[in-house]
Amino acid sequence: MDRTAADTTISIALVDDHALFREGLREILESVGDMRIVGEAGDSTAAVTLVAGTRPDVVLLDVEIPGDEVTETVSRIRTLSPDTRIIILSMYDGPQLLSRLLGAGIRGYLLKSVHRHELIAAVRSVREDPSRVVLAVSRNSVAQVEAAAAPTLSDKELEVLQLAAQALSNSQIARKLGLAEATVKRHMRNIFVKLNAVSRIDAVNKALAASLIMPQGRTDPD
């Protein structure tokens, strides 16, 4: 069954203390057929009230609006409307602020220098995929955020996990590394905690995704 027009239209709240900038955003977004502006706000208190009353799909939030600090505003918006995706608009390209906002749950961080098609694409992207994060910042900022977020495993934990990726059991890993099996189990527990993993396969997959270990084929048991 096809979705109705109401289902496919993206509702957006604009939050910026410059009325002229909000007017420009409104003109850009309402020029496409699948977006509508449900309200505007110029400070953090008004932003939270607006979101509570409209529950928009997306909030475009200026990083320097008057009132509460931006991460507090993000937190309050997400508490009131968990399904609302927040895209930050900023003049500043700083990895520390970006990291804090990503931790607070934003789904996008765009510099105000982006082109209109990038803005439109970002809004559509976070609406279509709630897990997606859209960034339009420098490579240096992204690299610093990724480096800070990457889990750190000890050399021995990396050895253990690399062998676990080859489908070796704890006892087989212990023999290869000259360790007690209990020590291998302790290393695996530490790995699960550090990677927030729920199983050996989950830990291996997360380590591969983070390039902590190298992909290898299965090793036959000794």
Side-chain angles (χ1 to χ4, degrees):
M1 181 182 295
D2 292 337
R3 294 192 300 174
T4 65
D7 291 330
T8 58
T9 299
I10 304 172
S11 58
I12 305 168
L14 306 179
V15 182
D16 194 289
D17 60 327
H18 294 95
L20 189 61
F21 184 75
R22 295 199 308 268
E23 182 178 334
L25 286 178
R26 177 183 285 273
E27 290 180 359
I28 289 172
L29 297 171
E30 290 188 336
S31 69
V32 296
D34 60 343
M35 299 182 188
R36 64 185 177 91
I37 307 303
V38 297
E40 302 179 17
D43 60 63
S44 62
T45 300
V48 171
T49 301
L50 172 61
V51 170
T54 60
R55 303 295 177 92
D57 295 315
V58 177
V59 172
L60 295 179
L61 176 63
D62 176 45
V63 78
E64 284 194 313
I65 56 170
D68 294 331
E69 202 269 337
V70 65
T71 53
E72 174 64 20
T73 303
V74 168
S75 177
R76 293 175 66 192
I77 288 173
R78 295 193 67 231
T79 298
L80 286 169
S81 185
D83 292 333
T84 295
R85 284 68 132 174
I86 302 171
I87 297 177
I88 295 292
L89 300 177
S90 177
M91 293 292 294
Y92 303 104
D93 181 16
Q96 292 184 343
L97 177 59
L98 174 58
S99 181
R100 288 195 294 115
L101 286 166
L102 288 171
I106 66 165
R107 286 291 171 259
Y109 190 105
L110 309 180
L111 296 179
K112 289 186 175 180
S113 57
V114 297
H115 295 290
R116 60 185 293 150
H117 69 270
E118 293 176 287
L119 173 64
I120 292 169
V123 170
R124 286 175 175 159
S125 179
V126 299
R127 160 67 188 272
E128 292 167 3
D129 183 357
S131 65
R132 179 170 296 177
V133 176
V134 179
L135 302 178
V137 295
S138 69
R139 291 183 179 179
N140 180 61
S141 286
V142 173
Q144 290 190 48
V145 169
E146 289 178 343
T152 301
L153 300 182
S154 69
D155 290 343
K156 190 59 67 177
E157 288 166 351
L158 289 172
E159 287 184 88
V160 168
L161 192 54
Q162 187 69 68
L163 292 173
Q166 299 172 30
L168 270 65
S169 67
N170 287 344
S171 61
Q172 291 165 347
I173 294 171
R175 287 199 302 271
K176 279 192 172 289
L177 297 181
L179 299 172
E181 186 173 352
T183 302
V184 172
K185 290 180 179 180
R186 176 169 53 81
H187 284 312
M188 288 302 304
R189 286 196 299 269
N190 291 340
I191 290 167
F192 280 19
V193 171
K194 289 181 179 181
L195 297 183
N196 193 28
V198 297
S199 68
R200 294 167 75 94
I201 293 176
D202 188 31
V204 168
N205 287 339
K206 288 182 174 180
L208 288 170
S211 299
L212 297 175
I213 60 174
M214 298 297 293
Q216 295 186 20
R218 183 185 179 96
T219 296
D220 292 332
D222 291 341

